[in-house]
Amino acid sequence: MVQLYNLHPFGSQQVVPCQQEPARFCCGQDELFVACAAASCRVEVFAVHDQGRCEPLRSFATLGSVLWMAHSRAGDYVVTIEEKNKATFLRAYTNWRCVSAGSSRVCVRMVGHKMEESYRETLKEQMSVVEMPLADPPLCASCCPVNGNLLVGCKNKLVMFSLKYLVINQNVSVLDFERSLILHIDNIIPAEVAFCARHIAVATELDVLILKLELVQQGADNTGQCAHSTRAVEEPVDGGIKDEDPSTHTLQLESDEFVICQKPVELLGEESKLCEIPITVESTGLATEGTEYFQVRYLLFRRFTPDQSPFGFCEETKLHSLQLLPVYQTESSAHGEIKNQRELLSLFCFFSLPHVGYLYSVGKLVELISTYLYSEKSEQAVLTPQFLHVITSENLQCFTVRCSAAAARDEDPYIDTTVKACPPVSLDVCTLRMQLFIGPRAICHFKNHIILLTKADTDDITERRKLTRKMLSKKADSIKARKTPDSESGWNLYIINTVSTVQLYREMVDYSRTYENVKTESCIHLLSEAHLLVRAAIMDPSFLKPDEKEELLTAFRESCAFLADCYSRFDIKDYHLALPYYRMSGLSMTEVLERVVSEGDKPHKYERGFIFYLTHSLNEDLNEELSQESATKVLQIFCLAEPAELPHILCSPCMRNVCPLTAMKYLQKVEKIMPSVLLTLTKASMALKMGDLMKYKHEMDSCKETILACGFIEQPKLLRQHKEGIVTPTEFAVHLKETQPGLLVAATVALYENSKIELEEADTFFKTLCKNNENAIPQLLVDFWEALLVVCSQEEVLQELLLRVTSQYVWRISERQFPETKPLKTTEDLINSCNHFGLIFPWVTFIMSIGSPSDKDCPEDTSKLQSILCSQSIDITSVLPFLEPLSEDGNVGLTIRVLCSTRLGKYEESLDLLLKKCPDAVVLYAQRELKDDNRAMWWNKLLPELCKRTRVTGNYCPVHILSLKETLSVIAMELELRDFLSVLPEDGTAAFFLPHLLHCSQRKSLT
């Protein structure tokens, strides 16, 4: 659907002072080239200034009458298709500015011709006419705007000429062309071609084919083939299927009685290979090390059928105005200035039938963007990044386009999120203006100018004369009779200036206000058009003056604000777009409130878009703080629209200045309707801000601590907030630290379990809360780690927590530092509630019982550390570096070292250490650890060691004798009599060992 608005995109118009009737014309960088009609064989060059002011520069002669003409920005050359003596030629006019500067020297040469030394030095002061011979007459051509390469359409083939620069010497370089590629296309006669960045579009009367040349790697065998001067034509690289009957490619088969037309077809992307148009690539340049080889990829094929009507077959149905429009990537420099980077971002293709036009995106994704329906038969159209200009028999029509919407999505991946938005590509196009002109014939566009050729038919002039004679006075008739012969012919070449982007944007915004309260969709549609108009200008800043850039950016932000206002005020489907558009507008929340909520407004219904924006903005960690008045207004809005969100809103950093008494009143209203734990906690927070501790205690006592801890999961901002990226505890958290630290720790554990807080963030939270420096670990944080160990199930996190608590216990023990607050859980509590804290072994308890007073400085930390090592959870190899500070001299260090050695399987080392430091505990250790596979160490290690030490000390060390007796008792129960005898020392006293031998023999006789 095409909507019609009566806007004014066209400004002033000037007449180009041509000496003769124009036949063809084209635009350069700041110049207009006009080829004269008839056999004059001359091109006039005009300089086009601001506001369309046009001045003749000079003219230069062509070698034939011009049938087609174009200017290439890359290389600054003019290329023509000319006719002379019924023969067609392709020529390029380079260095043409020398003619404009007054030089009359002209050099005519063949493409690739080696220039003689005699006139090399004069090349920079003369125009060159480069003749490009072709085997078949050229039918159409196109210049690539990116690199200046030239594509020529001939019958059944396309020929590509590469633009190159020949360096004559240090001061002189000239343009030349090299025929580099031929695409052979069976049974096709191109009417138009378009060429841009290796993308090729070909149009016949009713078919459109879009291709892309892709680079391929060539092997050594192919290289030789390509280098051959008369090389064979390559096989089709696209996998196209050749038809046995060539007539299947004929657009229409005629007979004496009827016309047969093929059915319409649209094939996009990979499906376009099925078009059954085989293409053969032939490389014609000399193969060198840097030669590029291409293969063809099909992008789009579209076939139309002639229009049919009740009055018969319409033979005038033909495609026209084939065009490829590039949109380039623009980047900002370090100083914020926009640089024109000629790097292709998006590519669009337009072509038209007499009554309908089609715009496709052919860049990253091939898709139909827009369809344009004309009110009358079109003659020609020209596509720009902002508009589509179409001429009919009596009108110059201006349509909007969706190129900027598609390119914006290619450029920015954050489009269509809560961060950024852009009107959809599928948005209906509209007609901005239908300007009356008599007899438009041709049109082209550059910068903010439209060049329009009009010519009235002879019948039209006669009819106007008759009408004039009937309606005008005799004086008017006499003036009419004095018109010059040029005016009798009825032609004019106009330069029509389009108004500035900002001026047209202002008009569109003003126009939209007429629909604001009547047609919501029309209002949003027109504002979207205005937004895309400005966006297109920003994306193509090459023609903008520096002061215009800032004006455009201001208009862009303003357009975002207008769109956001619509999405927030109207009850529409896409209400969520209010959020990204307000963000892009740069407006603060206070400014948005002022726009949407007027002063003195009575309570009324607020639409979903506005509530959506406020909810998301308030729930984010913004640095903006609302005033007390604005905060109160927010409370009123949510109490009316979304009462369930009120507790969440009050926890926002933006609401710091809210009056707690007012907030409490609104919370009490909501509580009557929908009570909740979160509401109770929010009321307690407000009571704390009011300083009403009695009210605070009442709210906190109304629920159990476990329920309250779960309530914090719904809104973590009750405990911590982010300010400029830094975690900040709330006043509520500070109060809980002093009064209910257990609840605070439990709530933080619940937040972690529900992915509402990260481990590192929790560390920062507790350090900030306890006002410790970065390296100091507060006891409350250790309590949090210990509580987390109870519920943690992830192995990686579990090991990290065990290392953290272990290192903290070791540091306190070694430094004899006591925790600043009483730990929330004792060792016994942790053993009973957590599998990662094990029962402390009896031999560890025995060693600690006989230790010195210094070993009891940190009993709780010591027992927790020993309990962790007595469990099987911790990775002992990773914890060893943290245990280095503990000395072996103390009993604490001894138990820790023996525990680690045992966990590592070093039982002999543990026995030696105990025999040396605490022999009293060696039997207790052996009874606990030397079991199963390690049982043999009783008689292989422990017995020999005790015998050895007893010999040395004798009766002076009763500990050794007692340990030896206990060891013999255990061995007597384990071994056979013969084996028992074999392990006894040969020099032992019989009386000492006899009781154990008897016990062993009696055990055997009993069994």
Side-chain angles (χ1 to χ4, degrees):
M1 183 180 69
V2 178
Q3 302 193 37
L4 175 62
Y5 301 106
N6 189 24
L7 299 173
H8 301 84
F10 307 125
S12 61
Q13 64 185 46
Q14 307 289 334
V15 177
V16 180
C18 299
Q19 299 298 322
Q20 296 179 341
E21 179 181 347
R24 298 286 184 271
F25 55 90
C26 67
C27 302
Q29 296 180 11
D30 291 293
E31 298 83 21
L32 173 64
F33 301 88
V34 182
C36 302
S40 60
C41 300
R42 180 160 294 277
V43 174
E44 295 183 72
V45 185
F46 299 89
V48 181
H49 304 286
D50 293 339
Q51 305 303 321
R53 191 165 49 88
C54 189
E55 294 180 357
L57 286 179
R58 194 67 182 270
S59 64
F60 60 87
T62 60
L63 302 182
S65 58
V66 178
L67 303 179
W68 175 88
M69 179 171 60
H71 174 270
S72 173
R73 178 179 178 182
D76 192 22
Y77 66 87
V78 178
V79 60
T80 62
I81 296 178
E82 303 173 11
E83 184 182 29
K84 188 172 185 180
N85 299 329
K86 298 184 179 180
T88 311
F89 304 91
L90 178 68
R91 298 186 175 103
Y93 295 80
T94 66
N95 213 20
W96 56 269
R97 294 184 184 272
C98 293
V99 176
S100 301
S103 174
S104 60
R105 300 175 64 94
V106 177
C107 165
V108 182
R109 57 187 172 89
M110 298 290 287
V111 64
H113 178 69
K114 185 177 180 181
M115 286 151 285
E116 299 294 336
E117 294 289 341
S118 58
Y119 60 83
R120 280 188 175 185
E121 289 296 329
T122 61
L123 288 176
K124 63 180 180 180
E125 299 177 359
Q126 66 183 12
M127 184 178 73
S128 293
V129 182
V130 183
E131 186 92 27
M132 287 174 268
L134 295 165
D136 298 294
L139 303 176
C140 49
S142 176
C143 302
C144 175
V146 177
N147 51 35
N149 292 345
L150 180 64
L151 183 72
V152 185
C154 304
K155 183 179 180 181
N156 295 334
K157 63 183 174 183
L158 304 175
V159 183
M160 188 176 81
F161 291 89
S162 298
L163 177 67
K164 61 181 182 178
Y165 295 84
L166 298 178
V167 179
I168 304 302
N169 54 46
Q170 186 176 0
N171 300 320
V172 180
S173 63
V174 296
L175 294 181
D176 200 6
F177 296 87
E178 178 185 7
R179 187 172 62 178
S180 57
L181 200 67
I182 298 177
L183 300 180
H184 297 273
I185 309 177
D186 292 349
N187 302 303
I188 189 169
I189 301 176
E192 289 182 289
V193 294
F195 189 33
C196 180
R198 300 209 298 267
H199 290 75
I200 296 172
V202 188
T204 63
E205 288 188 352
L206 290 173
D207 287 2
V208 176
L209 177 63
I210 303 178
L211 313 165
K212 183 179 181 182
L213 297 174
E214 294 183 331
L215 288 172
V216 293
Q217 297 292 332
Q218 284 286 343
D221 53 343
N222 291 333
T223 304
Q225 182 185 9
C226 295
H228 199 276
S229 60
T230 58
R231 59 181 293 278
V233 177
E234 299 173 2
E235 292 297 322
V237 298
D238 60 299
I241 302 172
K242 292 187 177 181
D243 291 322
E244 295 180 1
D245 184 6
S247 63
T248 56
H249 298 295
T250 306
L251 297 180
Q252 61 184 42
L253 305 175
E254 299 186 8
S255 68
D256 294 338
E257 298 180 356
F258 56 87
V259 176
I260 301 176
C261 300
Q262 297 185 3
K263 65 180 181 180
V265 176
E266 182 186 39
L267 300 174
L268 303 179
E270 293 297 324
E271 291 184 354
S272 57
K273 289 182 180 180
L274 305 176
C275 65
E276 298 183 353
I277 300 179
I279 300 174
T280 305
V281 181
E282 178 186 356
S283 297
T284 59
L286 294 176
T288 62
E289 185 178 349
T291 301
E292 296 178 337
Y293 300 99
F294 298 96
Q295 68 179 9
V296 172
R297 180 161 68 94
Y298 290 82
L299 298 180
L300 179 145
F301 176 74
R302 186 78 188 262
R303 173 176 291 158
F304 299 92
T305 55
D307 290 337
Q308 300 180 44
S309 66
F311 303 102
F313 183 75
C314 180
E315 297 183 352
E316 296 182 356
T317 303
K318 294 181 181 179
L319 289 165
H320 64 77
S321 305
L322 178 68
Q323 183 179 346
L324 287 175
L325 176 70
V327 175
Y328 300 103
Q329 178 79 45
T330 57
E331 297 180 359
S332 299
S333 66
H335 301 287
E337 298 178 355
I338 299 177
K339 295 182 177 180
N340 186 20
Q341 305 285 342
R342 302 288 289 185
E343 180 181 347
L344 191 66
L345 171 65
S346 303
L347 189 64
F348 304 93
C349 181
F350 175 82
F351 48 85
S352 182
L353 289 170
H355 293 283
V356 60
Y358 301 91
L359 178 61
Y360 282 85
S361 170
V362 293
K364 298 178 181 178
L365 182 66
V366 181
E367 62 177 343
L368 177 64
I369 294 180
S370 303
T371 301
Y372 296 87
L373 301 176
Y374 312 136
S375 58
E376 52 185 309
K377 179 184 174 184
S378 63
E379 301 291 339
Q380 190 182 351
V382 59
L383 178 68
T384 75
Q386 291 181 304
F387 306 107
L388 173 68
H389 300 291
V390 181
I391 56 172
T392 65
S393 60
E394 294 183 348
N395 283 295
L396 168 60
Q397 300 182 7
C398 179
F399 295 87
T400 57
V401 295
R402 300 289 166 260
C403 297
S404 60
R409 287 166 171 81
D410 290 338
E411 184 179 41
D412 193 342
Y414 292 101
I415 292 291
D416 299 325
T417 65
T418 57
V419 180
K420 295 179 183 178
C422 180
V425 177
S426 59
L427 184 71
D428 290 338
V429 296
C430 70
T431 307
L432 296 182
R433 185 75 177 177
M434 298 177 67
Q435 186 72 39
L436 180 64
F437 278 91
I438 298 176
R441 289 292 183 269
I443 186 174
C444 72
H445 172 273
F446 79 112
K447 293 188 177 179
N448 62 328
H449 309 297
I450 298 171
I451 314 301
L452 180 65
L453 174 63
T454 63
K455 184 177 180 181
D457 293 334
T458 306
D459 294 341
D460 295 335
I461 297 174
T462 303
E463 290 297 326
R464 291 205 311 272
R465 283 179 176 173
K466 291 179 181 179
L467 184 62
T468 302
R469 290 191 183 102
K470 292 179 180 179
M471 299 181 64
L472 300 181
S473 64
K474 292 181 180 180
K475 181 178 180 180
D477 288 339
S478 63
I479 295 173
K480 182 77 175 179
R482 291 197 297 270
K483 286 190 176 180
T484 63
D486 284 340
S487 64
E488 291 286 341
S489 64
W491 66 265
N492 272 306
L493 187 63
Y494 295 101
I495 295 183
I496 304 170
N497 302 312
T498 55
V499 300
S500 69
T501 300
V502 174
Q503 180 180 340
L504 182 57
Y505 159 77
R506 299 291 181 201
E507 184 183 7
M508 296 172 81
V509 170
D510 292 341
Y511 201 142
S512 70
R513 293 194 175 102
T514 61
Y515 297 104
E516 191 170 9
N517 298 318
V518 182
K519 292 184 177 181
T520 302
E521 292 182 359
S522 296
C523 179
I524 294 178
H525 184 275
L526 200 49
L527 286 174
S528 298
E529 294 287 8
H531 176 86
L532 289 176
L533 181 73
V534 176
R535 186 185 280 273
I538 293 174
M539 294 185 72
D540 184 23
S542 55
F543 301 131
L544 294 179
K545 296 179 181 178
D547 56 335
E548 292 177 330
K549 295 176 185 177
E550 186 57 39
E551 189 178 16
L552 272 176
L553 291 174
T554 301
F556 178 79
R557 290 189 289 267
E558 185 182 78
S559 72
C560 293
F562 287 143
L563 279 170
D565 288 344
C566 290
Y567 287 114
S568 64
R569 290 173 178 168
F570 302 143
D571 185 14
I572 52 180
K573 178 182 177 182
D574 297 324
Y575 65 90
H576 63 277
L577 293 176
L579 175 61
Y581 278 121
Y582 271 136
R583 284 177 170 172
M584 294 163 65
S585 71
L587 294 174
S588 66
M589 204 182 313
T590 302
E591 291 170 328
V592 172
L593 285 169
E594 292 174 353
R595 292 172 72 96
V596 180
V597 184
S598 303
E599 289 293 333
D601 268 1
K602 295 181 180 180
H604 66 281
K605 180 182 177 182
Y606 293 96
E607 298 299 341
R608 293 179 295 171
F610 181 53
I611 300 302
F612 184 82
Y613 161 75
L614 279 182
T615 302
H616 278 74
S617 299
L618 290 168
N619 285 333
E620 292 181 1
D621 297 315
L622 303 178
N623 293 328
E624 180 185 3
E625 293 186 10
L626 297 176
S627 65
Q628 183 172 327
E629 182 181 358
S630 298
T632 302
K633 179 61 69 175
V634 169
L635 290 179
Q636 294 173 355
I637 293 170
F638 277 94
C639 188
L640 182 65
E642 290 286 344
E645 289 292 322
L646 202 58
H648 299 279
I649 297 308
L650 283 169
C651 296
S652 170
C654 303
M655 299 287 285
R656 288 191 181 97
N657 298 324
V658 69
C659 174
L661 183 59
T662 304
M664 185 68 81
K665 291 180 181 178
Y666 281 105
L667 289 171
Q668 288 171 346
K669 289 182 181 179
V670 175
E671 190 177 31
K672 294 178 182 178
I673 306 171
M674 46 183 71
S676 66
V677 180
L678 177 60
L679 196 63
T680 300
L681 290 171
T682 309
K683 288 174 64 180
S685 177
M686 291 299 109
L688 203 59
K689 284 187 176 182
M690 294 164 55
D692 189 346
L693 296 181
M694 291 294 293
K695 179 65 176 174
Y696 168 82
K697 189 174 185 306
H698 172 74
E699 297 295 338
M700 295 299 289
D701 291 343
S702 63
C703 297
K704 295 180 179 180
E705 279 199 2
T706 52
I707 297 176
L708 292 175
C710 294
F712 287 105
I713 299 174
E714 296 183 51
Q715 187 46 262
K717 290 180 182 178
L718 282 167
L719 296 178
R720 59 102 177 93
Q721 294 180 349
H722 289 85
K723 187 174 183 180
E724 298 179 357
I726 300 174
V727 178
T728 306
T730 62
E731 184 181 352
F732 198 177
V734 174
H735 189 75
L736 286 176
K737 179 181 81 76
E738 301 297 335
T739 58
Q740 293 176 283
L743 174 59
L744 178 61
V745 169
T748 312
V749 170
L751 292 179
Y752 178 83
E753 283 189 284
N754 288 271
S755 303
K756 297 297 180 69
I757 192 172
E758 298 295 331
L759 196 58
E760 298 300 329
E761 187 181 358
D763 292 353
T764 306
F765 169 74
F766 280 110
K767 288 179 181 179
T768 307
L769 181 65
C770 300
K771 298 181 180 180
N772 287 67
N773 59 48
E774 187 176 351
N775 296 322
I777 306 296
Q779 176 57 40
L780 210 55
L781 178 55
V782 178
D783 291 330
F784 167 70
W785 291 340
E786 292 174 348
L788 203 55
L789 279 170
V790 177
V791 297
C792 183
S793 59
Q794 299 179 19
E795 183 62 26
E796 184 179 351
V797 178
L798 173 63
Q799 293 300 326
E800 173 67 21
L801 291 172
L802 287 171
L803 287 177
R804 290 188 180 193
V805 294
T806 299
S807 62
Q808 183 62 18
Y809 297 152
V810 171
W811 180 81
R812 287 180 181 173
I813 294 168
S814 60
E815 299 293 330
R816 290 181 170 80
Q817 291 285 339
F818 291 93
E820 69 275 13
T821 58
K822 182 181 179 181
L824 295 178
K825 288 183 180 292
T826 64
T827 306
E828 185 178 355
D829 295 333
L830 292 171
I831 292 173
N832 292 332
S833 61
C834 181
N835 294 331
H836 311 302
F837 287 83
L839 283 171
I840 300 176
F841 302 146
W843 63 268
V844 175
T845 306
F846 175 79
I847 293 175
M848 294 304 299
S849 65
I850 60 175
S852 62
S854 60
D855 289 329
K856 300 179 182 180
D857 287 343
C858 301
E860 201 63 39
D861 292 326
T862 300
S863 60
K864 288 178 180 179
L865 176 60
Q866 292 169 341
S867 177
I868 287 177
L869 295 176
C870 288
S871 73
Q872 299 297 316
S873 298
I874 194 168
D875 181 4
I876 200 66
T877 56
S878 62
V879 81
L880 286 176
F882 297 96
L883 302 176
E884 291 294 333
L886 296 178
S887 171
E888 290 185 12
D889 296 335
N891 285 350
V892 175
L894 175 62
T895 57
I896 299 304
R897 293 304 174 95
V898 174
L899 282 168
C900 292
S901 298
T902 304
R903 286 286 305 278
L904 294 172
K906 300 177 181 180
Y907 296 97
E908 293 189 10
E909 182 181 321
S910 299
L911 287 172
D912 290 337
L913 194 57
L914 286 174
L915 287 170
K916 178 182 178 182
K917 298 289 186 180
C918 187
D920 294 1
V922 70
V923 175
L924 287 174
Y925 171 82
Q927 289 173 344
R928 175 64 179 78
E929 306 295 343
L930 302 184
K931 297 177 181 179
D932 301 327
D933 295 341
N934 300 312
R935 193 176 298 276
M937 295 192 69
W938 280 92
W939 49 86
N940 292 333
K941 173 65 179 177
L942 185 56
L943 180 61
E945 284 292 333
L946 287 173
C947 291
K948 177 183 176 181
R949 294 173 186 272
T950 304
R951 289 192 194 97
V952 175
T953 59
N955 295 328
Y956 296 103
C957 187
V959 173
H960 289 157
I961 297 175
L962 181 60
S963 299
L964 181 57
K965 288 181 178 180
E966 292 179 354
T967 302
L968 288 170
S969 299
V970 172
I971 296 174
M973 294 297 296
E974 294 292 333
L975 296 180
E976 297 292 337
L977 183 59
R978 185 183 302 275
D979 295 329
F980 186 39
L981 284 170
S982 65
V983 299
L984 294 178
E986 296 179 355
D987 57 344
T989 305
F992 182 82
F993 294 101
L994 185 58
H996 301 288
L997 285 169
L998 291 174
H999 180 69
C1000 182
S1001 62
Q1002 290 172 359
R1003 179 180 63 83
K1004 178 64 178 174
S1005 63
L1006 290 174
T1007 58

